[in-house]
Amino acid sequence: MEFPERADVDGLIDPQPLPEFARVRYEPRTERLDDPVGAARESLDALALDGLPAGATVAVGVGSRGIDRIDEVAAGVVDRLDERGFDPVVVPAMGSHGGATPEGQREVLAALGITEETVGAPIDARMAAAELATASVGDAETPVYFAEAALEADAVLVVNRVKAHTNFTGPIESGLAKMTVVGLGKQRGAKAFHSTAIAEGYVETLTAALDVIEEETPIVGGVALVENFEEEIGHVEGVPAGSFLDREPALLERAYEEMPTLPVDDVDLLVVDEIGKEISGAGMDTNVIGRYRVLNAPDPETPDIDLIYVRGLTEATKGNGNGIGLADLTRRAAVDQLDLKKTYANALTSGSLAKSKLPVVAPDDEFALRTAAAALGAYDPETARIVWIRNTQELGEFRVSDAVVEDLPEAAVVTDRETVAFDAGTAAFEPAADGDADA
């Protein structure tokens, strides 16, 4: 596909002056767990492992991206299982991620620092999933699948972060239940789940499918992780099978209290340097940007962001640009990073087609910002409310236009002021070298 060059569009929109930017440090109070790996090891005591014979195979489901120290936590869980005389095996629990191939899922785990060498156990990345039974959800019947690699084990546990989901809100969202149903369902299970959930409801579908899995598989529980504002593990808890639906609401409430969010709700333009699957399943955390863009699920009420400009993809996402469709603008450099095979595998499995649409593609940063200014209407650099972040996970430092500064909370401290310069040759949206000044 050919996108317009700068010369093709340069005369269509007049240049606009930009506001000055303030660099901000945002440090709300938060709790941190000193030894999350030790806590994860100890959390296994809450699971029903005592009845297993020595040498029993225990499948450990992992695979969600962006979790603090997940490689160390997974290795700690495996080591503790080994100490207790069991035979652990790691099973990627990530639905269709990694292009829905064994090699791709191993690649995703490796990007998280999880390999057979680092975790101390074999990795069984087979994509085969067995149909256990059908679950009744409203007026629908949906098949429930489970990874054969996990089903063949004597016991199964999952390790996952409990957090706000990127497609829906409810008493359970992203956590142990979702990893068990969707992650260990592999591509077939993830596809079946999403197809039903879009029509009948996510929580309802999770609940019904989980009942089948608890009845038909040797699932013993999970290790729940809750992160703080700084994306560090603040709480670890072992949750036995049969208790996911009882414990996850309280853990989710804690996650919401600690969740990184923008310090202001009214934003004209959000500039995002990078999106990626390790940052959020949707590339950008939809609760941060205020956009779900899924059928039968209204967008969050806050924040209210008029336009979003995405500048690129992370290296760790390996071309999976799921979430690029949540933006209104991007640039050619970001499109060049896309691996559409991986992106479409995600979109087709989840049914969230909007997240993989291409936004308007600008040749460079300067023209993208010029386009945004025109699209906002009645643009005034003195009143334009612009927030510029690296990604939706790292919100401890960011930039805001002058019009936003007075609305910042006490936990946000302005550290310096910057002007912004553009170099069409490098298409860089960066502060000018001489732009810094004391606040």
Side-chain angles (χ1 to χ4, degrees), residues 11 20 87 141 152 160 195 235 244 294 315 387 401:
E20 279 202 336
D87 185 15
E141 295 286 329
E152 293 170 4
N160 199 22
S195 295
H235 179 72
F244 289 179
V294 295
E315 172 62 28
V387 177
S401 60

Side-chain angles (χ1 to χ4, degrees), residues 284 291 308-310 323-330 357-360:
M284 297 181 279
R291 298 181 179 184
I308 298 177
Y309 168 45
V310 166
I324 192 76
L326 293 170
D328 303 286
L329 285 162
T330 189
K357 292 181 179 179
L358 277 183
V360 171

Side-chain angles (χ1 to χ4, degrees), residues 31-37 64-74 112 159-161 225-228 230-236 278 393:
E31 295 184 17
R32 179 178 180 275
L33 191 61
D34 290 333
D35 184 14
V37 176
S64 285
R65 307 192 203 189
I67 300 176
D68 178 41
R69 299 176 65 177
I70 187 59
D71 53 339
E72 299 174 51
V73 169
L112 304 179
V159 182
N160 199 22
R161 172 180 51 187
L225 314 173
V226 181
E227 294 183 343
N228 60 25
E230 300 293 340
E231 300 290 336
E232 300 169 327
I233 296 174
H235 179 72
V236 176
E278 81 283 9
Q393 187 178 56

Side-chain angles (χ1 to χ4, degrees), residues 391-412:
N391 56 57
T392 58
Q393 187 178 56
E394 301 177 37
L395 298 177
E397 291 188 4
F398 51 89
R399 297 177 177 90
V400 299
S401 60
D402 271 350
V404 178
V405 171
E406 62 183 21
D407 293 334
L408 294 173
E410 292 183 6

Side-chain angles (χ1 to χ4, degrees), residues 166 326 414 429:
T166 56
L326 293 170
V414 174
F429 182 34

